[in-house]
Every structure is written in C-alpha cells, then in structure tokens.
Amino acid sequence: MRIGLLARVHLGTMAVLSVLTLSACVLVAGLPKAAQTSYDEALRRALGTAPAVTADLTVTTTSRGAEQDLRERGQFDIRDRRWRQILPAALRPLIQPAGTGTSHMSAKTTLTPLTGTGGWTYLNLGWLSDADRRVTWVEGRAPAAPSTMRYEGATVPVFEGGLSREALRKMGMRVGETKMIGEHDHAAVKIVGAFEAKDPSDRYWSHNSDVLHVIETLPPGATDTEKHLTALISDAGLGELSGEGRNLTYRWVLPVEPAAATALAAPELRTAVGEFGRAVLLQSTAASGSYSLESGLTELLGDFLAALSAAQTVMSLVLGGLLAVALGVIVLTVRLLGDRMDRTLSLARARGGSLRQVAGTAAALTAIATAPAAVAGYALSYLVPGPLLPVVHAGPLVVVVVAVGVCAARTALTHRRPLPERRDDVVAARPGARRITLEALVVVLALAGAYLLRARGLTTSGEQDPFLLVVPVALTVAAALVTLRCYPYPLRLFVRLAARGRAAVAFLGLTGAARTRSGSVLPVLVLLPALAVSVFAAVVADGIAGTQRLASWQQVGAPIRITSETEIPADAVERIRRAPGVERVVLAQTGQVQVGYGGERAEAIAVDVAGWRDILDGAPVVLPPLSDGALVSPELRGRGTFEIGWQSRVKLATRGVVEAVPGFFTKGKFLVVPLDIQLRPAVNTLLVKGDAALADLAAIVPSATVESQERALAAIRDDPLTSAVRWTLTVVTAALSAYALAAVVLSLVIGAAERARTVSFLRTLGLSDRQAQRLTVLEILPMIVVTALAGLGLGLALPAALGPGVDLSAYAGDLPVGDYSLDLFLPTALAAGLTAAAVLGAYAHTVVSRRRGLGAVLRVGDLT
C-alpha cells in the first residue's frame, strides 16, 4: 500500500496526532527534570541555611590525661588527614577541602569555673586552628606563650588569653586583668586583648558561638542563669593545655559543600554519614581515646527526605494522571485516524491484503505521525535544566509504543475478516455476569483501599508508600466504571418522558445519548481522570495557599511585629506611631515569669488583648477576649487562681486555655495577661497594623528585630520545594484542561460522520437548522455533563481520601494541610468550560453539516 499517499490524504489528522504527541513528550520528559532541579535546590538551601554546626561533620574526642593530650598543631593535622581518608565514597564530593569553608580544628575546655563564683560563671580556654584568619584584635594584643605564678603556695600556669569585646562588656572585665580558674586544679588567665570577628555572619561561628558570645543557661529548678565564656589562647598555650584535671575536648570540623548535594543522592548520603560515624569509632584506641562523630546531617537529611517524599507523592499522582490523560487523548486521535482509513483498509483487505499488511500500514502511518514528534519533544526537554532521569528517556518511547501498538491492535481486530458486517447504530450488547462481577470487585476494592488509607496512614516514614499510588488509580477506574454503567439509565427515564411529548427532537437526541456504544467509552476514560486530577491539583494548591497564609500569621502574630531584647524607649514608640503607613501600635512586654514560689517558670506576654484582637481582624488566627486574669497554655490549665512573680507578685485567675499564642508561643508553659498588671510596663514588643516600610521602622529602633506577615508568607512560598509543588500543580492543571478540551473536540469529530448522516436523513423529513443544533447538543451534552460531574466529585474527594497519607506541612510553614475548604470556583469553572466547549462544538458541527449538500452524505438507495 502507498503509505505516502495515505499520509497526504489524512494529513490533518496526522498533524493533530503529531502535535498531541509533541506536547505529551515535552511534558512527560520536561516536568520531572524541572521538579528534580527544584528538589536539588531545596536540599542545597536546607544545607546552606542550616547552622554549620548542624550540617557539618565534626569528629570529637575527649582527653582523659597527659597520654591523650595533643600538644601541637601537627598532631591535629595528621588526624584531619585520617578522617578525610576514611570518608565513604558517597560523602567525599560533599566535603570541602581542608582550610576552606568552615574547616578547622579546635581544643576547648568546658565547665571551667571562675574561681570564687560558686559555679555560676565559667571561663573556658579555647584554641582555634585558624583564629588568625577569623578575628581582628581591636584592643591589646594577641595571646602569646603562657607563664607561671605562685598561687596559694603552689606554682600554677598563667595562660594568656583574649576575650571578645562583647564578653568583656557583659562580664565587666577589662584587658590586663588576671582571672583565676578552677576550684581544685587552679590556673590563671591573663586577659591580654579583645577581639571582634572579621565576619560575624560567617557560618563558621555557629561552631564557636561560645568564643564570640556569653552563653547563658538556666539549670533545671534554678532561678539564676549560668554564664559561660571562652578565652582564645595561642599555639604555645595549646602546648600547656592538658586534660589532666580539666574537661578538654578536641574537634575536627569537616565542612559540607551544599552546592555538591543532589536530592537523588540524599538517601545514600544519610547512609554514608552512619558509615562514617562507625569508621570514626573504629579509630579509637586506649592511647588516643574514644572518637565519635557529632553532626545533625542525618536528621537534616531525614527531614528533607520526609518533605521530599510528600512532594514526590503529589508529583507522582498528578504527573501520572497527566501521562494517562495524554495517552488517552492520543489513543482517541489514533482511533480517529483509524476510522478515516477504515474504507481504504477494508478495500485492501478485500482485495487480498493480509492482516499483517493492513495492520502494518496503519501502524506505519501512526509511527510517521508520532515518532518524529516524540523525538522533537525529547529534544525540547533538554532545554529544561535538570538531571536526566529514566523517565526522560522512557516517557517519549512509551508514548510512541502505546500509539503504534493501539493502532496496530485495533486495526487487526477490526479487519481480522475481509469486509465484515459491522453496524454502529445499534445498542451495545449487555455485559455478561463475569464482567459485571469484575467491575463490581474493582469498585469495592477501590473504596476499601481508600478506607484503609485513611485508617492506617502510611506504612513507612520518609519513603513513598506504593499503596498511596494505587488507591487514586483504583478510585479513578472505579468512578469511570460507575459512570459508564450508570449514566444511560437516568437518560432512559428522560427518553420515556420525551416520548410522551409531541416534539421529536428531544426524543431522538436523548435516545442517541442513552446508547452505550463503544465510542462513548474512550471520551469518558479521558475526561474523567483529566477533570479529577486537575480538580485535585487545584484543591491541593488552594489548601496549601490557605495554610501558608495561616502559618505566616502564626509566625508573626500581627501585620508587623517589632521585638527587642531591651526596653523600647517611649520616644521611639511615638516615632513609630507617627511613621508613614502605621495605623495602630499595640504595646506588649514579653519575658519569663516565676509561677508560684518554687522553681517553675513560664513564658509570658503582657499585652492589650483588645487592641491585639483589633489588628488581627480578618486574619486566620484569633485570640480569646481578656480583660483580667490570664489565658494559659494546656500545661498550666486547672490551677484556678495562681500567683506569678514578674515585676511584682500578682495573683491571676484563669480565664481560658489557648493552644498557642500567634507569633510567640506554640508549646510549653506560657500565659497571656493584660498589660496593666505591670506597675510600669517595660515594653519590648510592638504589634503594628499598617503597611509601613520595614526598613524605616528598623531605623527607628536599631536594636530591634522587625518582622512582617507578608515577608513571612513570601519566605514560605519561596522555598524551592514549595515553589516546585505549586508550579507543577498549576502547569498540570492547565495541561489537563487543554487535554480535556481536546478530548471533547475529538469525541465530537469521531462521531461527526454518523451524526451528519443522521441529521441529513432528518433534514429530508423537514428538520430545520435550529432543530438540528438542538438534536446534536442533546446527543453530546449528557455524556459530557455526567462525566464532568463525576470527575468534579472525584477530584474534590481525592484530597480527603488521601489526606492522612500525604503530609504537605513542609510546604505550608510546618502546619498540616488538612482543611481543604470547598472553594468550588476553579473546579466548577473547569467543568463548566468543558460543557461549554461541548455545546459550542455541537453548534459548530451543525453549521459545518448544514453547508454540505445531501448528496455528499447520502448515497443512492439510502432513502429507499
């Protein structure tokens, strides 16, 4: 057979098939790459924004005596090279070279008491291998070699040390002083200089925050805080530092390079961290002491993989649905091409053509239309940055194989006998008992699967649950089967009602719609999942957006919040009130209070609750009214009237229990009290209503931190994983809507010849053009409407059915996304748009048919 001639004759249909194949291959190959790129960016951001002490690998050991002491830098270097040699292969690309990033070595004492302070102040000694690159001496000089002195009849070492300027100011010390440390094994620290960090914002300092700052801790049951500060010593001082009588810890920091991490390698990285920890432990000997690995990288990767699993689950659902719908539309087009070639192939079969030749010709014509388009789509997917996943290569191949295979199988089945007698105008045979039983079993299993998913949740943590991917497919198939089996029955009722009337158009149109022919199956199987997945994507995206807004309000607690560690001056408050864009300012004081007379503590906020409620008007967070007494956390409930110590002793009656206080407290012991319980409120927090410039407010109170709800919302939305999920849901919704529209148009075109013939028959009996339009609409519209309603219902039900198995909190400020409010605007618009497209298509079809002469449709003898 002349395939070239057939291609020219059916050029329009082949062009449509090529366009659909091209779009499907671009989407199926490009979207996973874009999603994987977002996953990689999310992991790199997580590693880059986490404190270095959490993300880096730190090998530690504690010296228990002189035999385990490290006295010189060379001993540290030897061990640093050893740690890098035993790194697992998966970790080596992720670790930065020695001397770069946050890489360094240190020796520090801990819990070294300042003599005479009763154990409430600790002055530790610290050596950093790269201190000369990290600090600038702003007063005095850098430490030199230690000396000795006599103290209480004994000779003790005198370490020269330097403190940060902040520590000197907070502790009331000065350069030139000598402090004694220890309670039994004494030593002296001569403060010879003060320093500042060259770059205080460098992640390096998260490993050594005790060197820059005074660390204050509150021991359990205590009312006063302990103060810990660390003095830098020189290399010579390291030679005199011993674990004999002191808590001395050595550390080697192996920094992680975020840019080298990939999401695909994250599971392997988490395993490699565990392997490295075991390898480090095996290096322990009696002479060297016990080595261990300290790092939060395992937990960080675990949290990322849990968030990634939810993202991949959602992506798998929507991308799998997109691929299924795209294949369905392509199969519809292949069927249209087969119908157009039916007469030619039947004639070739009748003239002696073998079944292999006939089926091969149809398959070759389909391959000509799909293979080049698939290659072009595969090539275009390389414009999307991202790793080459297996689906990138396999997706276009699957599209071509399905299209060619369906065409060959359908042609072989249709033309298995030369010139078979086929009639398309009769009602399909009733399904047998076996088929009905099988379909009922599918429906029951789908419902049971949805119930079990809600009842048990996921079976694994941080990994995709195959059960979660099977249930949506089963529910979609079940909904399609129910729709196909049930939609003719209510139509037959309308047919009976129409038969009682005198108008024939309604009867004929509804009768045609009620016929359960095989031609109605494919459009339903395409439209239903297309609408279901697109509605599901729209509902999930809306649920994420709403929860993100709620999370931003819970994080900030007001349109703008200004917080300071110290009291905000009254004149600054007045300047903020007069600042452009400020509508209202509510004063508040936060702090820690004593509950009762023991050591129990609670976080508290004293605030004008009525004013706060006013600026929260319209926000998704609420606060109960309070005029006196206190609102308490669940941990403080049931106490009735209790007493707190803040500026003074105050008795408070419990007026309510709140699970959280927006912007301040989410767990633990806390309470909200009126601001007027304070004799003189020391305002350190301002809640601002308005749209003032944050930079202007920060300039008024330089020591304060200024946050806004809009900025918090933007930070949540700008997360790479969150952006990837929302962007993919939007693209898939648009693509599925386009495919659903294409399915409607194709279903109209597939039945166009038969409808044109029917209308032409009726026109010979006096059918008018308006009646022909009504007839066509009545025949097409019921199937579209019923399928649209079924898809709409399934799409709205899927989030509720899958809710326990899909944790989207990582994309909504760590709040669970469970409130899928029924905002029916977009889902209804999708269903209404498809229905409108069907009506317009029906009218367009009647316009085209009206232009045809009866002789172009009816053959001689058709009217006899």
Side-chain angles (χ1 to χ4, degrees), residues 541-559:
D542 186 66
I544 292 176
T547 309
Q548 287 174 340
R549 181 170 178 267
L550 173 62
S552 67
W553 278 99
Q554 289 193 353
Q555 288 179 11
V556 181

Side-chain angles (χ1 to χ4, degrees), residues 475-552:
L475 287 174
T476 303
V477 173
L481 290 175
V482 171
T483 302
L484 287 172
R485 291 292 168 226
C486 296
Y487 96 89
Y489 296 108
L491 288 181
R492 290 173 185 174
L493 176 61
F494 287 105
V495 168
R496 291 185 180 181
L497 295 177
R500 297 180 181 180
R502 299 181 61 183
V505 173
F507 173 75
L508 293 174
L510 293 174
T511 299
R515 291 178 175 178
T516 57
R517 293 167 294 181
S518 60
S520 302
V521 175
L522 270 179
V524 171
L525 293 179
V526 173
L527 283 175
L528 194 142
L531 270 173
V533 176
S534 59
V535 169
F536 168 76
V539 172
V540 169
D542 186 66
I544 292 176
T547 309
Q548 287 174 340
R549 181 170 178 267
L550 173 62
S552 67

Side-chain angles (χ1 to χ4, degrees), residues 548 551-553 555-556 558-561 692-698 704-719:
Q548 287 174 340
S552 67
W553 278 99
Q555 288 179 11
V556 181
I560 301 174
R561 186 185 68 191
L694 302 186
D696 295 342
L697 299 181
T705 301
V706 182
E707 299 174 277
S708 72
Q709 179 267 332
E710 291 183 356
R711 180 182 290 180
L713 180 59
I716 295 173
R717 288 178 174 174
D718 289 343
D719 178 78

Side-chain angles (χ1 to χ4, degrees), residues 369-462:
T370 57
V375 172
Y378 176 74
L380 287 174
S381 70
Y382 276 79
L383 298 177
V384 180
L388 294 178
L389 305 172
V391 69
V392 175
H393 308 298
L397 181 62
V398 169
V399 172
V400 174
V401 169
V402 168
V404 174
V406 168
C407 181
R410 184 175 183 274
T411 303
L413 184 63
T414 303
H415 299 281
R416 61 186 181 276
R417 290 182 299 170
L419 292 178
E421 182 180 358
R422 299 189 301 271
R423 293 190 61 186
D424 295 330
D425 61 336
V426 297
V427 177
R430 292 185 177 182
R434 182 179 300 176
R435 183 172 178 179
I436 293 177
T437 303
L438 181 61
E439 293 177 355
L441 180 62
V442 171
V443 174
V444 171
L445 289 177
L447 295 176
Y451 172 77
L452 289 176
L453 183 62
R454 287 195 61 84
R456 71 161 175 78
L458 294 175
T459 57
T460 57
S461 177

